[in-house]
Amino acid sequence: MSSAHEVAAVAQRIFVERGFDATSVDDVAAAAGISRRTFFRYFPTKADVLFVDSPREVERFRAGLAAGRTGESWRARVVRAVVEALEFPPEERSWAFHRAQVFFAVPAVQAHAVRVWAAWRQLAVEHARTVPHADPLFPLAVGHAVLAATLAAHEHWTRHPGEELGVLLARMLDLLLPPDGAAG
Amino acid sequence: MSSAHEVAAVAQRIFVERGFDATSVDDVAAAAGISRRTFFRYFPTKADVLFVDSPREVERFRAGLAAGRTGESWRARVVRAVVEALEFPPEERSWAFHRAQVFFAVPAVQAHAVRVWAAWRQLAVEHARTVPHADPLFPLAVGHAVLAATLAAHEHWTRHPGEELGVLLARMLDLLLPPDGAAG
DNA sequence: TTCCGTTGTGACACCCGGTGCCATAACGTG
DNA sequence: CACGTTATGGCACCGGGTGTCACAACGGAA
């Protein structure tokens, strides 16, 4: 009764009930039946509880970028990779949604998300380097566009839970990814 | 000898010398000749020292957006407002550059910047709402594009100090701001 | 001058997130 | 059973941040 995921599940429930800031690590540890010290062995910081699945998502994003389809434009590939990486099975959707809610309700968590998602940016930058473009700033712009679109889509999602996250991600990326620029 | 700007100047010097994390608030307070408690009356958090001028920059951004020129496209207006807001007189350039360096060297500071720049995003979103566009996600996308471009330009700037921040901002915004979409 | 209210400052205690260190319990292996 | 490894817990500590109180500095009014 003490895998990282189980502790995270307990923690997230309390966060939603009582609020992130109003919940101390001791509270979570007590509720999960572990000691405070053990909590910090599972998660480097309190906010990291909300990002248990982050490594898996990053890996899916990386795999999605690598899995090219013939005739697929770089934009289409990035969009597909992001959407696939953030697709959740139905039973995880409410978890993902609660996580997004806490994101935008608690500035500290939102700030932490940026750190966690730096890996996304890096992968996107490396991918964009393979695309010929007139402006040398292009790869960095793609990296930040991926991050911004992910954040923006989640932000909109928290305010319109009925809409599909995947659709929102695709539309945001379509708005934010730089245009092609063989000559710029 | 204890205005907020004077304390900030002392703090920034120590941060650059010794590093942000390796410098405690007590160190800064002692160096500035004030007590720890007084420091926290000047600045809500340690990281806020780096953002003394933030309110002024936000105000300049707001004013820049409001000051429309006849025949100016919304994109041109946003670009001009951002560039003007982040233009520094020569004697402040090195301060701005050091601040940018600390940004990207210290995750905690980078995280804090996101919080501070939420005001920018909000202003940009409101401005974008006045622009007709087929996709209702457009205003939010503009807001995040402004933020992403600012971050990206600063990131590139820290690695290429010789280039002009204003030029980098304009180019990044050109890459990241969504295209027009009267029909989308 | 004295009295008084306001404001800025400092000192102290406290909470909480995070870490290093050490003791010990749990476990598989010989 | 004895052993080494690993997971866990307890403890002390650091640093950021806050609430509370005491006191000094200052200016105005009598």
Side-chain angles (χ1 to χ4, degrees):
Chain A
M1 179 11 197
S2 60
S3 81
H5 275 84
E6 286 162 336
V7 174
V10 172
Q12 205 214 13
R13 187 175 45 73
I14 309 183
F15 289 162
V16 172
E17 286 173 9
R18 213 184 312 175
F20 183 83
D21 287 329
T23 306
S24 74
V25 171
D26 298 78
D27 296 337
V28 174
I34 61 176
S35 80
R36 163 194 172 75
R37 195 66 188 81
T38 299
F39 174 92
F40 282 112
R41 274 196 263 272
Y42 283 132
F43 306 99
T45 75
K46 176 182 169 187
D48 275 296
V49 176
L50 301 167
F51 299 87
V52 212
D53 292 319
S54 200
R56 202 193 317 167
E57 290 163 9
V58 170
E59 170 53 27
R60 277 198 282 177
F61 181 51
R62 196 202 55 72
L65 284 179
R69 298 180 184 174
T70 56
E72 193 178 33
S73 72
W74 70 268
R75 284 177 130 257
R77 186 185 295 212
V78 169
V79 172
R80 179 179 48 76
V82 171
V83 173
E84 284 177 4
L86 292 175
E87 249 165 15
F88 304 106
E91 70 272 17
E92 289 182 22
R93 269 189 56 110
S94 90
W95 159 283
F97 183 73
H98 283 317
R99 183 178 70 166
Q101 271 187 319
V102 179
F103 274 12
F104 294 98
V106 185
V109 178
Q110 190 174 355
H112 195 78
V114 174
R115 284 211 261 169
V116 171
W117 290 343
W120 286 67
R121 193 179 56 196
Q122 190 51 36
L123 287 171
V125 167
E126 282 163 18
H127 177 69
R129 270 202 261 271
T130 68
V131 178
H133 198 285
D135 195 326
L137 296 182
F138 172 74
L140 196 56
V142 171
H144 282 269
V146 166
L147 213 58
T150 305
L151 271 167
H154 275 87
E155 185 175 349
H156 182 87
W157 191 39
T158 59
R159 292 200 278 259
H160 305 83
E163 307 188 22
E164 277 293 326
L165 179 60
V167 174
L168 294 173
L169 283 166
R171 280 166 63 197
M172 276 295 178
L173 284 165
D174 196 55
L175 287 169
L176 287 170
L177 282 177
D180 286 312
Chain B
M1 182 7 200
S2 60
S3 81
H5 274 84
E6 286 163 337
V7 174
V10 172
Q12 206 217 9
R13 186 176 44 76
I14 309 182
F15 289 161
V16 172
E17 285 173 10
R18 214 184 313 176
F20 182 83
D21 287 331
T23 306
S24 75
V25 171
D26 298 78
D27 296 337
V28 175
I34 60 176
S35 81
R36 164 194 172 74
R37 195 65 187 82
T38 299
F39 174 92
F40 281 114
R41 275 194 263 268
Y42 283 131
F43 305 100
T45 76
K46 176 182 169 187
D48 275 296
V49 175
L50 302 168
F51 298 87
V52 211
D53 291 320
S54 199
R56 203 192 318 170
E57 290 164 9
V58 171
E59 170 52 27
R60 277 197 282 177
F61 181 51
R62 196 202 54 73
L65 284 179
R69 298 179 184 174
T70 56
E72 195 178 31
S73 72
W74 70 268
R75 284 177 130 257
R77 185 184 296 209
V78 169
V79 172
R80 177 179 48 76
V82 171
V83 173
E84 284 177 3
L86 292 176
E87 250 165 15
F88 304 106
E91 71 271 17
E92 288 182 24
R93 269 189 57 110
S94 91
W95 158 282
F97 184 72
H98 283 317
R99 185 178 69 165
Q101 271 186 321
V102 178
F103 273 11
F104 295 99
V106 184
V109 177
Q110 192 174 354
H112 196 77
V114 174
R115 287 211 263 168
V116 172
W117 289 343
W120 286 67
R121 194 179 56 196
Q122 189 51 36
L123 286 171
V125 167
E126 283 163 16
H127 177 70
R129 268 202 261 271
T130 69
V131 178
H133 198 284
D135 195 328
L137 295 183
F138 172 74
L140 196 57
V142 170
H144 282 268
V146 166
L147 214 58
T150 305
L151 271 168
H154 275 87
E155 185 176 348
H156 182 87
W157 190 39
T158 58
R159 292 201 278 258
H160 305 83
E163 308 187 22
E164 276 293 325
L165 179 61
V167 175
L168 294 172
L169 283 166
R171 280 166 63 196
M172 276 294 180
L173 283 165
D174 196 55
L175 287 169
L176 287 171
L177 282 177
D180 286 311

